[in-house]
Amino acid sequence: MTQPNGPVPRPGILDIAAYVGGEHHGHIRLASNEGALGPSPRAMAAYRDAADTLHRYPDGGSSALRGAIAKRFNLDADRVVCGAGSDEIISLLIRSYAGPGDEVLYSQYGFLMYPIGAKSVGATPVTAPEDGLTASVDSLLARVTPRTKLVFLANPNNPTGTYLPASEVARLHAGLPANVILVIDAAYAEYMNREDYTAGEELVERFPNVVMTRTFSKIYALGSLRIGWAYGPAGIVDVLNRVRGPFNVSNAAHVAGVAAVEDTEFLERSRAHNETWRAWFTAEVQALGLTVHPSVTNFVLVDFKGQAPGKDDAEAARQLLKTRGILVRQMPAYGLPSCLRVTIGTEAEMRAVVDGLKAFLAG
């Protein structure tokens, strides 16, 4: 809180509702979409080995990590830029291309960091209604104005778990003016197995106004190390490299990230685990009479709307789960107060959530 007669922040800063992450004081942490199996053993070994060089500054250009990413995804390493989580990349893009009088556009249930980033630079966040819980290309394009500078599309989307096929993303881009940047936030791309989906790299290759962002915090399970990256046109990557911190990714993050992205066997095991237990959990919760919205990610939205009085309270269900040491994510900040977002965890964790929901519904 600003003190009387003290320094005054720029207009709009105090209008920002600070981002609140998922709770982390619990035995079963399913509130932040962290990887169920933890990090790759190879990544953990690389992290431990980095202890001897903690006194050294990291490579400011993240050369080895950018090279490993480029090799894994068949990209141009010179057009990869790394950051302290994809959150930093998102913030840098907004800071570089938007300001007072500009607009930042995103879908109704998009990631909360988009409006926070917009307000932090004095720009205006603009939302476009979704079709159910899926981003609508037509709604987004209808809200583009001469003031629009960036359009953010989380694909797949957090917190709804839905996605747009590549054809729809291409249609969105085709409808944007050339001076508007389309940012495809593909944080959950590694969980996808749909033939009509791409993370957006093909659009980055063809156009000067498309950026794809990715993260190591989800399937790679390196959230505490804060590693994100973007693939973009040379001009935008040059801008990001000018405004980012000179050592924004630590050496421990570098080496763990390289090992993680190279361990494709562990990634496939993580993806298979997620497919199995997302399907199991969805079926079990639906059998209880609750709605589970379809998801292609490592989380699902459980909806309590339509339940009998007293059983339609998502927050009461969350609190009961919390008494059992189970943390899941409340959704009022996203405009989905009747829902809980539940990360797919281990077998034991998912069984514990089902048991907790049974107890809640039984009263």
Side-chain angles (χ1 to χ4, degrees), residues 242-266:
R242 291 171 186 267
V243 297
R244 67 175 176 82
F247 303 106
N248 61 332
V249 181
S250 71
N251 186 59
H254 281 150
V255 298
V258 170
V261 81
E262 290 177 347
D263 193 349
T264 56
E265 180 183 354
F266 186 80

Side-chain angles (χ1 to χ4, degrees), residues 329-350:
R329 188 66 180 272
Q330 64 271 46
M331 290 284 104
Y334 283 94
L336 296 165
S338 67
C339 296
L340 295 178
R341 192 190 67 193
V342 183
T343 305
I344 304 304
T346 65
E347 174 182 352
E349 290 171 341
M350 302 321 294

Side-chain angles (χ1 to χ4, degrees), residues 103-110 114 126-131 134-145 148 150-155 157 164 168-169 171-173 175-177 180 182-183:
E103 294 177 348
V104 174
L105 178 62
Y106 62 103
S107 63
Q108 179 179 4
Y109 300 117
Y114 309 150
V126 177
T127 61
E130 297 194 359
D131 183 5
T134 303
S136 166
V137 170
D138 292 330
S139 291
L140 286 164
L141 291 177
R143 282 156 182 78
V144 174
T145 76
T148 306
L150 302 107
V151 176
F152 282 92
L153 176 69
N155 198 37
N157 185 56
L164 289 183
E168 279 294 274
V169 180
R171 185 167 75 88
L172 172 61
H173 174 262
L176 296 176
V180 174
L182 174 61
V183 182

Side-chain angles (χ1 to χ4, degrees), residues 106-126:
Y106 62 103
S107 63
Q108 179 179 4
Y109 300 117
F111 187 31
L112 289 178
M113 290 308 298
Y114 309 150
I116 288 175
K119 290 179 180 179
S120 74
V121 300
T124 301
V126 177

